[in-house]
Amino acid sequence: GDVPLGQPVDEVPMGMPANAEEELQAKMARLQVAREKAVKEAAQLQIAREKAEKEAQRERYVSRLIELGAETRERAIALLERYGSLQAAANALSAAADTSIPSGVRKRVEQLRSGGDRQKEEAARELYRLAANADNTFAIARAGGIPPLVALARDGTYGVYWQKEYAAGTLRNLALNADNQVA
């Protein structure tokens, strides 16, 4: 603007008119709201992307399990949900298809994975008994019995249920068979 005659330049008020300052504050507030909304939407997009990636991975696992012999999509999904990983589900599927594994061994290994305390003790006790025979030790290992036996030896119960003792004894018997030492 124009400086009134006779007034020094440094004495001219430098502030904005009141309505312009209020308008600027309103614009800044709208920008802040828009920024917060954009950050929230970006976070939601990230969550949606991660969920889509997990679903795509799950679908790849289901397809792979069907290739390995899970006859139906439902069976493949059930295996994944039960065992928690593609590798564990594939091992279980492979063990189920392996006719060299006696059904009693397969049943007991499954009890180790999903049974209650009493069933786990019974399974470990029976596998301990079976592992006295060298042929059975290999079958127990092929049925995927080593990981649940290790878990039971580590986390099982003492006392009423002798899970730890039977699991450790079975693992000892399995370790005596040279074929199992790579497992």
Side-chain angles (χ1 to χ4, degrees):
D2 296 344
V3 176
L5 290 174
Q7 183 175 7
V9 175
D10 60 343
E11 292 181 14
V12 175
M14 298 302 286
M16 291 184 260
N19 61 351
E21 190 173 322
E22 289 172 2
E23 188 177 309
L24 181 59
Q25 287 178 352
K27 283 182 182 180
M28 288 177 68
R30 286 192 300 272
L31 284 173
Q32 179 64 25
V33 168
R35 181 186 162 291
E36 290 171 1
K37 183 178 177 185
V39 168
K40 184 185 256 184
E41 288 175 356
Q44 290 172 339
L45 285 172
Q46 177 66 22
I47 290 168
R49 185 178 69 74
E50 290 171 0
K51 184 177 178 182
E53 286 175 2
K54 284 181 182 178
E55 184 61 29
Q57 182 69 32
R58 182 174 181 257
E59 287 304 314
R60 286 191 293 275
Y61 287 174
V62 166
S63 295
R64 182 67 183 127
L65 288 171
I66 290 171
E67 290 171 12
L68 292 172
E71 300 80 28
T72 65
R73 176 176 168 70
E74 291 75 23
R75 171 114 167 95
I77 290 170
L79 285 166
L80 273 177
E81 288 173 356
R82 182 174 203 166
Y83 294 102
S85 75
L86 175 62
Q87 186 62 49
N91 289 345
L93 186 60
S94 175
D98 189 343
T99 57
S100 69
I101 300 171
S103 62
V105 168
R106 192 178 345 223
K107 175 184 173 189
R108 297 305 183 176
V109 169
E110 185 57 36
Q111 272 184 288
L112 286 178
R113 286 191 183 105
S114 59
D117 283 343
R118 184 147 195 93
Q119 289 82 24
K120 286 180 180 181
E121 180 194 0
E122 290 170 3
R125 183 177 54 239
E126 183 62 16
L127 289 173
Y128 174 74
R129 188 187 67 73
L130 290 170
N133 175 320
D135 292 335
N136 289 334
T137 63
F138 188 66
I140 292 167
R142 287 197 36 93
I146 292 174
L149 282 166
V150 169
L152 197 60
R154 182 185 59 232
D155 303 324
T157 61
Y158 282 118
V160 177
Y161 302 114
W162 296 86
Q163 297 171 345
K164 288 186 177 206
E165 292 82 354
Y166 286 122
T170 304
L171 288 168
R172 183 195 68 232
N173 289 345
L174 294 176
L176 295 175
N177 184 332
D179 291 333
N180 292 331
Q181 292 176 3
V182 295

